[in-house]
DNA sequence: ACGATGATGAAC
DNA sequence: TTCATCATCGTA
């Protein structure tokens, strides 16, 4: 038997196109450490937000205080509040200077981006912090990943305002065939 | 199908 | 300083 420490995903994993990173995150494990306890969720649903051209991406309005993190290096959290109630958790991707990120929308046993951040006790204080053990929130290698046939591609949720970009298949879901 | 609820960015 | 908007969710 070959027991190796579980590998934390580092900058190089995230320093690729958001559209490449997004499906690759399915099956990876989101880890939150709080008060000495670690909770883990297998990532099941994500969306890519890719650059200023993407009307659904917050960076479509250019660089603002809110979108700073997306313009920074890959592997950092981008967290913001929507509808005055729910925090959305994103991980930044791509080269520094190019704004892009992947929204983590759901995990095994937790469906919905707002419910996920609540389950993890994640709020805006994580914004622009690195995904690492130091910050108490990171992503690890998983034990299984979906096969190609198990990944469903659909338009993103809640971005109907984004014109032609609203219909692009930037959402990736691991169809949970094995669930029982 | 609707209201809660508050930060953000843009207009004035 | 005001205002519309919003990557949602729970209850009806």
């Amino acid at each position: 038997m070959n027991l190796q420490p579980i590998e934390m995903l580092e900058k190089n994993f995230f320093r690729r196109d958001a559209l490449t990173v997004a499906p690759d995150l399915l099956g990876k494990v989101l880890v939150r450490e709080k008060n000495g306890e670690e909770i883990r969720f297998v990532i099941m649903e994500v969306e890519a937000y890719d650059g200023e051209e993407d009307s659904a991406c917050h960076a479509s309005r250019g660089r603002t205080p809110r979108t700073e993190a997306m313009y920074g290096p890959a592997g950092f959290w981008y967290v913001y509040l929507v509808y005055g109630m729910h925090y959305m958790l994103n991980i930044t991707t791509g080269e520094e200077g190019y704004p892009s990120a992947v929204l983590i929308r759901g995990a095994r046993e937790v469906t919905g981006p707002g419910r996920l951040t609540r389950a993890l006790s994640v709020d805006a204080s994580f914004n622009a912090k690195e995904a690492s053990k130091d910050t108490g929130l990171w992503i690890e290698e998983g034990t299984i990943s979906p096969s190609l046939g198990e990944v469903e591609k659909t338009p993103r949720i809640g971005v109907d305002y984004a014109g032609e970009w609203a219909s692009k298949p930037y959402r990736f879901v691991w169809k949970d065939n094995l669930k029982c």
Side-chain angles (χ1 to χ4, degrees), chain A residues 141-156:
Chain A
E141 203 53 67
T143 52
I144 40 173
S145 295
S147 60
L148 278 168
E150 294 172 336
V151 178
E152 183 180 11
K153 292 167 68 171
T154 82
R156 291 168 292 185

Side-chain angles (χ1 to χ4, degrees), chain A residues 1-20:
Chain A
M1 290 298 281
N2 149 14
L3 287 188
Q4 305 194 73
I6 295 172
E7 205 179 324
M8 184 176 77
L9 300 185
E10 311 246 29
K11 188 174 186 170
N12 283 343
F13 177 91
F14 300 105
R15 193 167 51 194
R16 298 177 291 156
D17 291 343
L19 284 157
T20 304

Side-chain angles (χ1 to χ4, degrees), chain A residues 17-19 22 46-52 54-59 70 78 80 88-94 98-105 155-159 161-162 165 170-172:
Chain A
D17 291 343
L19 284 157
V46 296
E47 284 175 1
Y49 288 85
D50 187 27
E52 294 181 346
D54 177 359
S55 311
C57 182
H58 291 162
M70 277 203 286
Y78 170 46
Y80 65 91
M88 300 290 105
L89 178 63
N90 300 247
I91 185 82
T92 62
T93 56
Y98 183 86
S100 63
V102 173
L103 169 65
I104 303 175
R105 285 192 58 88
R156 291 168 292 185
I157 306 291
V159 296
Y161 60 86
W165 293 86
Y170 282 10
R171 173 173 174 255
F172 302 87

